[in-house]
Amino acid sequence: GDLKGAEEAFRKANKLAPGSPEPLIALADIEVRKGKPAAAESLLQQALQLAPDNVAVHVALGRLYRGRGDLNRAKVEFETAKRLAPGSVPAQLGLADVYLQLGEPARAVTEYERVLKTRPKDAVAQFGLGVALSGVGRADEAAAAFEKAAQFAPRDPEPLRMLARLEAERKRYREAVAALDRAIKIAPKSVALQMDRASVLLASGDAKGGIAAAQAVAKANPNDAAAQGRLGNLLVAAGDRAGARQAYAR
């Protein structure tokens, strides 16, 4: 979009309503998009001084800190937003994401489920729930969550990729391949997905099929270092160290 035009409009809005935090939040978002998180934080701190109990300000700070990898500060901001507005979906979703990144999947499950009570077709929350459920060993429920995420975001292959990974971990290789086939239909040029499929075939005991599939992908993408590297890894797993050295050398 036209960031410059949007920035000018929000700066005018800020001059017209200097006591309102909304233009500052919008300007902070623009600074993030411009790759200037420090400037964004400065604007959000100004907004916080104007409205210390504004939920949107705390959510915006939480997102900013999470994006910078400062998860503990992000957690504080999302928890504050949730305390101020217990039913705030952005606060719940942000907190769930942070819990997941902090290695607290059980707490993440609780927050994602709260989001989904309000927005049951939220693909992001369904995906996060799937990851969190996987983390607490509830594989069947995780698979169901990934399926729902795929249903609600039909152009995103990532839920199906995660479903495939889950199924492969459970040694349900046929189901894993089927999930990857669906993902590849969405993103047919994805080297990563095609190599995932080759890896599953190899893990299932179909070494010939897995290696052949990986070689075909690597041949079609001769300048893709990741593809050559993954081919090498699969050849090592199959016991072909000489072939692996050739792949790594490409």
Side-chain angles (χ1 to χ4, degrees):
D2 183 5
L3 281 182
K4 186 176 180 180
E7 184 175 3
E8 290 177 357
F10 287 125
R11 290 199 183 282
K12 287 180 181 178
N14 189 44
K15 288 182 180 179
L16 292 171
S20 172
E22 280 74 17
L24 292 170
I25 295 172
L27 286 168
D29 181 62
I30 290 173
E31 293 298 338
V32 170
R33 296 181 186 213
K34 289 162 60 178
K36 298 180 178 179
E41 183 177 9
S42 177
L43 288 164
L44 290 174
Q45 290 296 341
Q46 293 177 47
L48 191 63
Q49 290 179 0
L50 290 173
D53 291 337
N54 186 287
V55 174
V57 174
H58 289 286
V59 168
L61 276 167
R63 289 173 176 165
L64 176 67
Y65 292 141
R66 179 175 174 247
R68 291 197 327 205
D70 193 344
L71 299 179
N72 287 318
R73 291 181 76 183
K75 178 181 174 182
V76 169
E77 294 300 336
F78 287 127
E79 286 178 339
T80 301
K82 185 182 171 186
R83 175 177 55 78
L84 292 168
S88 168
V89 169
Q92 292 168 346
L93 189 55
L95 192 55
D97 290 341
V98 168
Y99 282 149
L100 198 56
Q101 288 182 272
L102 285 171
E104 301 179 48
R107 299 181 77 179
V109 167
T110 299
E111 294 302 328
Y112 284 127
E113 287 179 337
R114 284 177 175 151
V115 172
L116 291 167
K117 284 181 180 178
T118 305
R119 298 193 334 209
K121 294 185 178 182
D122 189 308
V124 173
Q126 290 287 0
F127 180 83
L129 179 62
V131 176
L133 288 167
S134 297
V136 295
R138 293 161 61 181
D140 287 342
E141 293 170 85
F146 287 136
E147 282 285 8
K148 288 180 181 178
Q151 176 187 348
F152 301 141
R155 296 182 180 179
D156 184 1
E158 196 60 23
L160 293 168
R161 188 181 189 190
M162 289 300 294
L163 175 61
R165 184 177 300 176
L166 176 65
E167 297 293 23
E169 288 173 355
R170 298 199 286 173
K171 302 188 185 306
R172 291 162 52 96
Y173 299 115
R174 183 179 299 178
E175 289 80 358
V177 170
L180 285 168
D181 284 342
R182 291 163 59 195
I184 290 169
K185 285 184 179 180
I186 297 170
K189 294 182 180 180
S190 171
V191 171
L193 289 173
Q194 294 174 49
M195 281 298 189
D196 283 353
R197 188 179 187 279
S199 297
V200 172
L201 289 173
L202 182 63
S204 73
D206 183 5
K208 183 178 180 180
I211 295 300
Q215 288 173 330
V217 176
K219 184 178 180 179
N221 300 273
N223 298 319
D224 190 314
Q228 305 304 326
R230 289 197 64 179
L231 172 59
N233 293 342
L234 289 173
L235 287 167
V236 169
D240 185 356
R241 294 188 178 277
R245 282 195 294 270
Q246 291 179 1
Y248 291 139
R250 293 190 186 113

